[in-house]
Amino acid sequence: MNPVNTNANIINNIGLVSRTDSTRSVVASGDVRFGEGLVVIAGPCSVESEEQTLRIARAVKAGGAHMLRGGVFKPRTSPYAFQGLGLKGLKILKKAREETGLPVVSEVLDTRDVSWMSEYVDVLQVGARNMQNFSLLKEVGKSRKPVLLKRGMYSTLSEWLNCAEYILKEGNLQVILCERGIRTFENYTRNTLDLSAVPALRELTHLPVIVDPAHGTGRVGLIPAMSLAAVAAGADGIIVEVHDNPAAALSDGDQSLTPAQFSELARKVTALRAFMEGLQ
Ligand code: PEP
Ligand code: MN
């Protein structure tokens, strides 16, 4: 029998996403296991060229990343901004995975792309702007790929969990939640990274929760501190953007770490996680 899912009863522990005991789900993509240890995802905001992506993929692998990110369908505010390389970009990501062994996550924007895109990526990302695209949620719910579901920029935890519920209800239990900041009146940062969502979600759901301090702040200088804070709050992973020439990036250069900044960050978050495990 399907549970009856209203906002109220998701929060009151009735949905498939709800936490009913101390068990937390592990979502696996190859050797990468979300919900066990700390998963570090890094890569360019956008796949721009084969050379750029392979260079960055090698650099983040050497710096300690477990998974590669890279957008090929970009949800840009302006229709004139770089929209992504599409299929060409997916072929580049596949090559990067073959060379580095890193599994790949990339955003799917359109229901029509879910099934064929699954041949190229290991995890399907549903972005903030599509969090409540119910057709897309149902489609990725029919897929057998793990789904990285980002928080909508205007969404409550209850709305977000209901969106995850759409995916689970279709039979795909492999959902990873990603806090990436919400819109508030503050405009120094691109968004306001809601780190209280991490312990709150650990109470409410068995699903793994990761944090994106890049979109969450929009400022490279704030990313190290907010990554460490995310780990301290109990996140199962972080996802950051890396570019070897941030000033020339076709998207999100202001929030892209250099490979050297990334390596330092990966070392620190790993050390903090190990320290925290020692506290338990
Ligand atoms: C991205 O990951 O590049 C992206 C567009 O993220 P969000 O959907 O969180 O804005
Ligand atoms: Mn981006």
Side-chain angles (χ1 to χ4, degrees):
M1 190 186 81
N2 282 329
V4 182
N5 296 324
T6 66
N7 280 359
N9 66 29
I10 289 270
I11 294 292
N12 291 328
N13 268 350
I14 298 178
L16 298 169
V17 299
S18 301
R19 182 166 174 161
T20 50
D21 57 25
S22 61
T23 319
R24 300 189 66 229
S25 294
V26 172
V27 175
S29 176
D31 295 339
V32 177
R33 295 174 66 78
F34 293 89
E36 258 179 30
L38 184 75
V39 177
V40 177
I41 309 174
C45 176
S46 297
V47 171
E48 299 172 5
S49 71
E50 182 169 322
E51 299 69 38
Q52 169 253 14
T53 301
L54 288 178
R55 271 196 322 268
I56 297 171
R58 288 182 202 118
V60 299
K61 163 98 181 182
H66 306 111
M67 182 174 272
L68 178 67
R69 63 148 289 145
V72 303
F73 296 111
K74 297 305 299 177
R76 305 305 298 279
T77 303
S78 162
Y80 303 109
F82 178 61
Q83 301 286 306
L85 296 182
L87 174 60
K88 186 172 167 217
L90 288 170
K91 290 183 174 164
I92 295 170
L93 285 174
K94 196 170 177 183
K95 203 162 178 180
R97 177 182 50 193
E98 279 162 12
E99 195 188 305
T100 61
L102 294 174
V104 164
V105 55
S106 195
E107 178 167 356
V108 60
L109 279 185
D110 193 308
T111 51
R112 291 167 295 189
D113 299 332
V114 171
S115 82
W116 70 267
M117 204 174 150
S118 301
E119 293 168 28
Y120 293 88
V121 303
D122 301 285
V123 175
L124 293 164
Q125 176 173 321
V126 174
R129 292 157 191 80
N130 267 320
M131 187 200 81
Q132 280 188 319
N133 179 338
F134 299 112
S135 310
L136 187 60
L137 296 174
K138 287 180 195 166
E139 202 63 30
V140 296
K142 293 189 185 105
S143 150
R144 288 298 160 258
K145 289 282 176 186
V147 178
L148 181 66
L149 179 63
K150 290 192 136 192
R151 180 180 187 172
M153 57 186 90
Y154 304 106
S155 304
T156 64
L157 297 185
S158 169
E159 287 161 346
W160 187 11
L161 286 172
N162 272 281
C163 291
E165 187 78 12
Y166 266 88
I167 302 172
L168 269 63
K169 182 171 177 285
E170 295 299 324
N172 188 350
L173 306 181
Q174 304 181 86
V175 174
I176 306 138
L177 300 167
C178 178
E179 165 61 43
R180 48 77 74 208
I182 49 176
R183 283 236 167 127
T184 67
F185 54 80
E186 181 53 67
N187 60 9
Y188 177 72
T189 45
R190 181 176 180 183
N191 291 288
T192 297
L193 189 62
D194 177 14
L195 286 182
S196 65
V198 176
L201 289 169
R202 288 186 66 139
E203 284 178 355
L204 295 169
T205 177
H206 53 87
L207 297 172
V209 182
I210 70 167
V211 171
D212 175 347
H215 295 86
T217 64
R219 287 174 176 263
V220 85
L222 306 186
I223 292 171
M226 296 314 281
S227 300
L228 291 164
V231 174
D236 296 300
I238 59 163
I239 178 167
V240 292
E241 294 182 329
V242 174
H243 202 286
D244 52 5
N245 185 1
L250 295 184
S251 58
D252 287 351
D254 291 345
Q255 61 189 46
S256 295
L257 302 166
T258 62
Q261 288 169 328
F262 169 70
S263 305
E264 194 181 331
L265 174 63
R267 185 177 57 75
K268 287 183 179 164
V269 290
T270 307
L272 177 59
R273 177 66 183 225
F275 173 75
M276 288 178 60
E277 279 166 14
L279 293 177
Q280 278 156 18

